[in-house]
Amino acid sequence: MKLDFELTTPRLILRPFKTADLHAFLEAVNQSNQYLQPWLEWCDNNFDQQQAYEWINASRLSWQHDYSYELAIFDRINDDFVGTVSLSAITPLFNSANLGYWIKYNYHRQGIATEANTAIIQLHFKC
């Protein structure tokens, strides 16, 4: 898929990461760090700007090579970065993939994950 892809839902904009997302991504990871650490091995107290930059570049490369599709999630009203949703380990033969997501702490319990997950699942089954 193309890196200029964008998916919208009633409250969200989902799109591949851009280098310009670096600071918002890093801030969100640091804000939600204690909630992410048990689930994401790359997330620790030392996660820094260089690691965020490398993560974004790896995400973009995976997107370009159809290895995985990681989407940055933004609030449609205020353009705030609210998290990520991704499909990985994509196996077309079995029409399957792994679904992953995380939502910035102050957006928890608002249905954001459900809305983003539904959107990326529908995308996958249309492809």
Side-chain angles (χ1 to χ4, degrees):
M1 275 196 236
K2 302 278 186 194
L3 283 168
D4 62 353
F5 174 82
E6 187 173 282
L7 183 62
T8 58
T9 71
R11 297 183 298 164
L12 307 173
I13 296 172
L14 297 90
R15 62 162 174 74
F17 276 88
K18 298 177 181 178
T19 306
D21 301 327
L22 176 68
H23 295 291
F25 173 64
L26 180 58
E27 181 183 323
V29 169
N30 287 331
Q31 179 188 11
S32 302
N33 192 291
Q34 68 179 354
Y35 304 100
L36 300 175
Q37 282 184 10
W39 312 107
L40 301 173
E41 64 185 38
W42 55 264
C43 184
D44 60 30
N45 292 331
N46 299 318
F47 191 77
D48 62 16
Q49 185 170 331
Q50 181 62 35
Q51 289 170 303
Y53 179 79
E54 290 170 4
W55 192 95
I56 288 172
N57 282 339
S59 172
R60 292 176 59 80
L61 186 62
S62 292
W63 184 276
Q64 289 173 309
H65 292 286
D66 295 317
Y67 297 143
S68 65
Y69 302 108
E70 289 152 345
L71 298 170
I73 305 169
F74 295 89
D75 184 311
R76 280 182 75 173
I77 294 172
N78 63 19
D79 202 36
D80 191 22
F81 177 87
V82 299
T84 69
V85 63
S86 66
L87 292 175
S88 62
I90 299 166
T91 310
L93 179 63
F94 299 111
N95 200 25
S96 69
N98 292 336
L99 175 66
Y101 65 91
W102 66 266
I103 304 299
K104 189 164 72 169
Y105 178 71
N106 61 322
Y107 279 89
H108 283 188
R109 301 193 183 281
Q110 298 178 35
I112 300 294
T114 300
E115 193 170 325
N117 286 330
T118 300
I120 200 168
I121 290 167
Q122 289 174 348
L123 168 70
H124 178 66
F125 285 109
K126 288 179 184 177
C127 295

